[in-house]
Structure formats: C-alpha cells, structure tokens
Amino acid sequence: AKKPKNKVGDKPAKKIYTPFPPPQALSKVDQQLESGEYFLSNKEKKGKAAEERTEGRKAEKEERDKDRAAAFVPPKEKSKKKR
C-alpha cells in the first residue's frame, strides 16, 4: 500500500518578536489608590457595598415583578366577523 502524501498548506504567519514583556497589572492597592477607595474608612466602604447590594436587589425585584405581572395580562381577544 502506498503512503498518502503529506498535504502542503500555508504556514501560519510568524508572530512579531517583542523583547519586552507586557506591562504588569495593577495590584489591588494600586487600583484602590486610583479610585480613591483606599482613603475611605471601613464604615464608608461597608456603606458603599451595602448601597450597591440594595441597588442590585431593586433591579432583580423589578425583573421578578415584571415577570409575575406578565401572567396577569389578559390575552388579546380576536374580533369575530359578522356576516
């Protein structure tokens, strides 16, 4: 039996060599310094987190209420033609 010939295809393009690694990601403390969160007191941090949670809950509650209300919408009645 003959061996099948190797398929000759396009070689993938070579990647450009970059001698320097990508910049390092910011640390958690650096991110807090940029946003100004680093200088908040623990009480303010907790209050901000609680506010974000309540906003999220409100949005979820509105979605649930909308879904529940959809069940109570009456179906559209088809009009019958008179002969």
Side-chain angles (χ1 to χ4, degrees):
K2 289 185 179 179
K3 271 188 168 179
K5 288 187 178 180
N6 289 340
K7 294 182 180 177
V8 179
D10 296 330
K11 291 184 180 179
K14 284 191 175 181
K15 294 182 181 177
I16 300 170
Y17 175 73
T18 54
F20 303 107
Q24 202 169 19
L26 293 175
S27 69
K28 187 175 181 181
V29 174
D30 289 335
Q31 289 175 345
Q32 288 177 344
L33 284 169
E34 277 189 358
S35 67
E37 184 183 344
Y38 185 81
F39 301 104
L40 297 176
S41 68
N42 283 341
K43 203 174 198 180
E44 291 172 323
K45 286 180 189 176
K46 288 180 181 178
K48 189 175 181 181
E51 190 175 309
E52 289 175 3
R53 280 195 303 270
T54 55
E55 287 178 17
R57 285 182 188 149
K58 280 182 184 178
E60 290 173 4
K61 186 179 185 310
E62 288 174 3
E63 284 291 320
R64 282 196 308 268
D65 290 346
K66 192 185 296 182
D67 292 341
R68 288 179 183 153
F72 294 107
V73 174
K76 294 183 179 178
E77 295 181 15
K78 295 179 181 176
S79 59
K80 295 180 181 179
K81 292 185 179 179
K82 294 183 180 179
R83 294 185 185 196

